[in-house]
Amino acid sequence: MKIVSYNVNGIRAAFNKGLAEWLSKENPDLVCFQELKAQEDQIDLITLKSLGYEYCYFHPAEKKGYSGVGIITKIQPDFVKIGMGIEKYDKEGRVIRVDYGNVTIICVYIPSGTTGGLRQVFKMEFLADFSEYIQELRKERKEILICGDYNICHKPIDINHPEKHLTSSGFLPEEREWFDQFVGTGMVDTFREYDQSGEKYTWWSYRAGAKPKNLGWRIDYHMISSEARERVKSATIHNEVCYSDHCPISIEADI
């Protein structure tokens, strides 16, 4: 199965910029979208179904034009669950889960704390609650793939000029410590299994087409539980794709 994760920063805008053509060419089996910024009735389901995505699941935020996640797939899942079961996160459209056999795939959009203050507190609360949610789920579902925008650069290699960002949300010590602990529970960064080189980013603050300088952040991940790591055969960052301030990431996995 080819699985793509993509923060589209507005799915309607991404479609207007050529996202459908890229999906047709790349032909993933399943796509996890973050930051839909749209209600379900505003999403072009006709185009998605014409591309073969017969099964489409969306979790928009209550607030219009904000947040939201979605999973589109050509293969019918065995089970679908919308939300984490925690109202303050679910009202923002942060999590969708689908199951295929023994494998659970989760699409997540972790909150940004870039406005500081209460939103940074909210982000740290989400991280703690999301970890607990995953650990509880792993008691029953050992093989879990978590695709999405984590809004955290885990290590200095994942960000441009790390010394300049030590006090920036997304690279704060407490956020990176959470990531260390998350990896310590047996979650594997699939991209780093294949590529340990620097300047491999997924988000650029100024990105609108061609990027003049590679001053980005790697904040989008496919994290997989150690029990399922052998299923992943490749991991790719598609940094040539410019339909958002992020670029898509993909893996090939035996699912």
Side-chain angles (χ1 to χ4, degrees):
M1 184 182 284
K2 185 172 188 176
I3 300 169
V4 164
S5 181
Y6 195 11
N7 180 321
V8 288
N9 192 21
I11 193 167
R12 290 170 290 175
F15 270 113
N16 289 337
K17 294 173 184 176
L19 176 60
E21 290 77 9
W22 183 80
L23 289 174
S24 177
K25 177 183 176 182
E26 198 67 24
N27 196 31
D29 299 291
L30 183 148
V31 183
C32 294
F33 289 124
Q34 303 88 43
E35 210 168 354
L36 296 174
K37 293 185 176 180
Q39 301 301 302
E40 187 165 353
D41 62 2
Q42 297 175 309
I43 298 171
D44 187 355
L45 293 178
I46 294 175
T47 295
L48 290 175
K49 290 182 182 297
S50 74
L51 295 172
Y53 298 102
E54 289 293 329
Y55 309 98
C56 299
Y57 311 98
F58 299 105
H59 185 21
E62 290 182 4
K63 179 181 177 181
K64 292 185 177 181
Y66 177 73
S67 189
V69 293
I71 293 178
I72 62 170
T73 175
K74 297 180 177 182
I75 306 166
Q76 185 174 13
D78 305 320
F79 176 80
V80 179
K81 185 174 182 180
I82 306 295
M84 255 172 71
I86 302 176
E87 183 181 3
K88 67 179 181 178
Y89 307 132
D90 291 349
K91 69 191 296 184
E92 294 194 356
R94 297 283 172 187
V95 173
I96 291 184
R97 165 190 168 187
V98 296
D99 292 353
Y100 290 95
N102 293 328
V103 179
T104 289
I105 300 174
I106 291 173
C107 175
V108 64
Y109 178 35
I110 289 176
S112 168
T114 53
T115 58
L118 293 176
R119 288 306 294 182
Q120 184 64 37
V121 172
F122 184 83
K123 179 179 184 178
M124 297 309 298
E125 291 173 347
F126 181 94
L127 290 172
D129 290 336
F130 185 68
S131 288
E132 183 175 348
Y133 165 74
I134 294 300
Q135 291 314 303
E136 284 298 311
L137 185 58
R138 288 182 71 186
K139 292 178 181 178
E140 300 177 5
R141 305 286 298 177
K142 301 299 183 184
E143 298 186 81
I144 298 180
L145 172 66
I146 308 170
C147 317
D149 177 359
Y150 284 61
N151 267 311
I152 300 172
C153 294
H154 183 198
K155 296 182 178 181
I157 195 175
D158 298 316
I159 192 170
N160 75 89
H161 302 298
E163 72 282 357
K164 296 181 180 180
H165 300 290
L166 297 175
T167 59
S168 299
S169 179
F171 197 60
L172 295 174
E174 57 266 37
E175 295 171 328
R176 297 169 60 207
E177 181 181 358
W178 173 85
F179 220 125
D180 285 340
Q181 293 172 351
F182 195 56
V183 169
T185 67
M187 298 304 299
V188 178
D189 180 347
T190 58
F191 181 73
R192 288 301 180 204
E193 290 286 284
Y194 294 93
D195 193 327
Q196 293 292 325
S197 60
E199 297 189 354
K200 298 296 177 68
Y201 307 131
T202 65
W203 176 81
W204 297 261
S205 62
Y206 50 81
R207 197 169 205 248
K211 52 185 187 297
K213 296 180 181 179
N214 195 23
L215 300 178
W217 300 37
R218 190 173 76 96
I219 58 177
D220 302 87
Y221 301 81
H222 289 290
M223 302 293 294
I224 199 163
S225 59
S226 56
E227 294 90 340
R229 67 189 298 172
E230 297 303 320
R231 291 182 179 270
V232 179
K233 304 307 176 186
S234 67
T236 304
I237 293 176
H238 301 270
N239 59 12
E240 76 285 358
V241 179
C242 300
Y243 309 126
S244 168
D245 51 353
H246 292 246
C247 68
I249 59 174
S250 69
I251 61 168
E252 296 272 1
D254 290 334
I255 297 174

